[in-house]
Amino acid sequence: MGFGQIRQFKNMNEKILVVDDEVNICELLKLELKLEGYLCDTAYDGIAALDKFESFEPDLIILDLMLPGMSGYEVCEKMREIRNVPVIMLTAKTEVDDKILGLKTGADDYMTKPFDTGELLARIEALLRRYSSIEKQKEQLVLKNGSLTLVPESQSAYINSSQLHLTATEYDILKLFALSKNKAFSREQIAKTLGLDFQLDTRAIDMHIQRLRKKLAEFTEERFIETVFGIGYKMKDYEQSEL
């Protein structure tokens, strides 16, 4: 498929950054991608690419290997340190070693010039679809309750956009509550879930809860952890209370 042979507009608002020192290639790809429904920006060297990566926040990058000042390998590595975005490495080189190095650096796919535009567009769509699926899976793993968000993948917790600095035990207790909101847990149940000796750590549980409440209170007035007299503790379900 050549330039001008467009498909259905099903890529609205997805942003692609084209990085190549050949202006003609950048402009032709920019035109084709816009016709396909993508938002597109270009850069002609590595430094400009990193600046555009920060300001444009692309969903995918088409990255030439041979760039002035900074190679595509270096650009890819630096981008990966900032954010995980799909990268298609684009180059005139055909040596196997260059392809392997590009993939090791962090590129998801590799195409050599001259390339078929239709194939490039198909690879772009496939990569965006795969990354979208991964992100959706990650979102499903996020635990939310009011202003509180837990991200099990990174073992992190936030009140709105402020990260809570929790110990591993504090995080595990908060996660236990967040997985079963409104369910009352005894101190013994909490200890067993965390792999602690209940006889030795019964008071430690209270101390962990006390520190958790204090850390949460620094960022919100929501009282997430409630005392259930005669039993132990539970997490109030702010999501349910908003219905």
Side-chain angles (χ1 to χ4, degrees), residues 8-9 11 21 36 39 42 47 54-55 58 97-98 105 118 128 146 148 153 155 158 184 203 210-211 237 239:
Q8 297 298 316
F9 287 87
N11 311 302
D21 61 340
E36 288 290 319
L39 301 176
T42 58
I47 301 299
E54 294 274 16
S55 60
D97 288 345
D98 290 313
T105 304
L128 287 171
L148 175 65
E153 183 185 38
Q155 296 283 292
Y158 302 84
R203 291 187 179 180
Q210 183 179 350
R211 286 199 296 266
D237 189 350
E239 301 289 307

Side-chain angles (χ1 to χ4, degrees), residues 143-145 148 150 169-187 189-191 193-194 205-206 208-210 212-213 216 224-228 231-238:
L143 304 173
K144 287 191 66 66
N145 185 19
L148 175 65
L150 273 72
T169 301
E170 290 167 354
Y171 177 83
D172 286 342
I173 292 173
L174 201 57
K175 180 182 175 183
L176 172 65
F177 289 154
L179 285 168
S180 301
K181 290 173 286 189
N182 278 338
K183 177 181 177 180
F185 290 91
S186 68
R187 293 169 180 80
Q189 286 176 316
I190 296 171
T193 301
L194 301 180
I205 297 298
D206 291 330
H208 290 310
I209 297 294
Q210 183 179 350
L212 259 175
R213 282 173 166 167
L216 289 164
F224 288 101
I225 302 174
E226 299 180 332
T227 299
V228 182
I231 301 178
Y233 303 97
K234 72 173 184 179
M235 175 175 281
K236 180 177 179 179
D237 189 350
Y238 280 93

Side-chain angles (χ1 to χ4, degrees), residues 1-7 32 36 115-119 121-122:
M1 181 172 66
F3 292 104
Q5 292 178 270
I6 62 173
R7 298 171 298 169
E32 180 72 8
E36 288 290 319
F115 54 87
D116 179 75
T117 309
E119 182 182 354
L121 290 170

Side-chain angles (χ1 to χ4, degrees), residues 133 135-143:
S133 176
E135 291 304 311
K136 285 179 181 177
Q137 290 175 18
K138 287 181 180 179
E139 287 175 7
Q140 290 172 359
L141 295 175
V142 170
L143 304 173

Side-chain angles (χ1 to χ4, degrees), residues 80-96:
R80 285 285 191 241
E81 292 173 2
I82 301 170
R83 192 160 56 92
N84 190 29
V85 174
V87 175
I88 297 177
M89 199 74 84
L90 197 63
T91 180
K93 290 195 172 185
T94 57
E95 289 83 354
V96 173

Side-chain angles (χ1 to χ4, degrees), residues 17 19-21 43-53 63-76 78-79:
L17 176 62
V19 184
D20 198 305
D21 61 340
Y44 308 125
D45 60 68
I47 301 299
L50 291 175
D51 289 340
K52 289 287 180 70
F53 183 71
L63 179 63
D64 186 33
L65 173 61
M66 303 300 292
L67 295 171
M70 182 184 296
S71 73
Y73 297 134
E74 295 174 287
V75 173
C76 188
K78 290 185 179 298
M79 286 178 174

